[in-house]
Amino acid sequence: MQVDPRGQRFAAVLTTIVLIVVLVTSSWLLLAAQAVVFLIGVLFGLRSAPYGLIYQALVRPRLGSPKELEPEAPPRFAQGVGAVFALAGVVGYALGIPALGMTATAFALVAAFLNAAFGLCLGCEAYLLIRRLTPGRATS
């Protein structure tokens, strides 16, 4: 399946905002909600993820069709990586280990910000590297 890369950057902007609020408030509940957003994207596809639905309904109609599409697998993998960091942060905040919560959230924030600001998806790059290093697998 192919996805609109502008939608991924839009989702990264929203994720960046949410993660900044989490770092300021130490809200494990908000971070848990972000983890759910990530997990929906991983399990049901990026078009079914909440931020993807917002993009499709409110933003894409104003922009028109994209000039190019990209494979869904790399950003979907990146959502999985984000979910792992978000869940680690939830555990840290919920168990009273703020250093773990802040560190995991900060790592997720850096990745989301790089995607939002520069279109650099670290999880996507990791996916492609893993695919290249896996014997017998072609990159996609």
Side-chain angles (χ1 to χ4, degrees):
M1 174 164 314
Q2 301 284 307
V3 294
D4 184 344
R6 301 171 303 176
Q8 302 316 305
R9 288 188 76 176
F10 174 79
V13 168
L14 295 181
T15 300
T16 297
I17 293 166
V18 168
L19 295 176
I20 288 170
V21 173
V22 168
L23 283 175
V24 169
T25 64
S26 298
S27 172
W28 70 269
L29 290 172
L30 182 57
L31 188 55
Q34 180 60 53
V36 169
V37 168
F38 285 140
L39 290 171
I40 291 170
V42 172
L43 298 172
F44 301 107
L46 300 177
R47 291 184 182 165
S48 298
Y51 299 160
L53 294 172
I54 294 169
Y55 174 77
Q56 289 174 37
L58 302 177
V59 179
R60 186 170 177 177
R62 290 171 169 66
L63 299 178
S65 298
K67 292 180 180 160
E68 59 186 44
L69 298 174
E70 67 182 24
E72 182 183 38
R76 198 167 174 175
F77 176 83
Q79 293 283 300
V81 174
V84 169
F85 279 101
L87 291 171
V90 167
V91 168
Y93 285 124
L95 295 180
I97 310 168
L100 173 59
M102 287 188 292
T103 302
T105 303
F107 277 119
L109 173 59
V110 167
F113 175 76
L114 287 174
N115 195 358
F118 305 108
L120 174 62
C121 175
L122 294 179
C124 300
E125 295 301 322
Y127 173 87
L128 295 173
L129 180 63
I130 291 167
R131 294 283 299 194
R132 280 189 213 110
L133 295 176
T134 305
R137 304 291 302 253
T139 59
S140 57

